[in-house]
Amino acid sequence: MRLRVDLVLEVTERDQLTDAALRRIKDDEFMPEEERAHARAAVREDEAEALAYLVEPFQLVGEVPGVELVQASWSSERSAYDPDVDAWHLDEEDFDEEDADEEDADEEGGTGARARPL
């Protein structure tokens, strides 16, 4: 069974995130200089890129018994968080419907299950 976990993060201090990623890039002794220049530009432009240089997915789940990291990818999109908007709330009914649809897809040769955020 493969599970997908989505995280929603709020960047509260963009400059701190960017600065930390730039330090990580500077300290990476194995990164070629051409790649380093590209990495610096990407980190300054996109918070998801900065996060990708700071968070190692294997470190997040590498020690979890019975779990093997198959793939890790990053993407980002800007969204305005409003706690009163229903789209930001997961309730059991929504999850049960999605989970049932995923299980039906599995039985029909689909892609796998989806993990519900905690």
Side-chain angles (χ1 to χ4, degrees):
M1 173 191 321
R2 292 187 180 187
L3 301 175
R4 177 180 149 187
V5 177
D6 296 315
L7 298 173
V8 177
L9 304 174
E10 178 181 4
V11 176
T12 58
E13 298 291 336
R14 184 181 197 276
D15 292 340
Q16 288 181 9
L17 175 66
T18 301
D19 290 346
L22 290 171
R23 281 192 304 276
R24 174 71 57 91
I25 292 166
K26 177 184 173 193
D27 294 342
D28 187 342
E29 60 189 57
F30 300 108
M31 186 181 292
E33 193 56 42
E34 183 177 304
E35 184 179 334
R36 193 180 311 271
H38 174 73
R40 285 185 192 118
V43 160
R44 287 184 180 111
E45 185 176 313
D46 185 2
E47 291 92 349
E49 289 288 335
L51 189 63
Y53 280 96
L54 296 170
V55 177
E56 171 57 46
F58 182 77
Q59 289 176 341
L60 294 174
V61 296
E63 303 275 332
V64 177
V67 173
E68 179 182 341
L69 181 64
V70 175
Q71 176 183 348
S73 62
W74 297 98
S75 66
S76 68
E77 63 183 64
R78 296 196 181 275
S79 62
Y81 175 70
D82 182 349
D84 296 327
V85 174
D86 288 339
W88 288 99
H89 300 283
L90 291 177
D91 58 26
E92 286 298 319
E93 288 181 29
D94 290 341
F95 178 73
D96 289 343
E97 287 177 23
E98 291 174 9
D99 191 38
D101 291 343
E102 294 284 342
E103 287 177 12
D104 290 345
D106 282 346
E107 290 172 7
E108 297 171 6
T111 58
R114 178 178 165 181
R116 178 175 55 154
L118 299 175

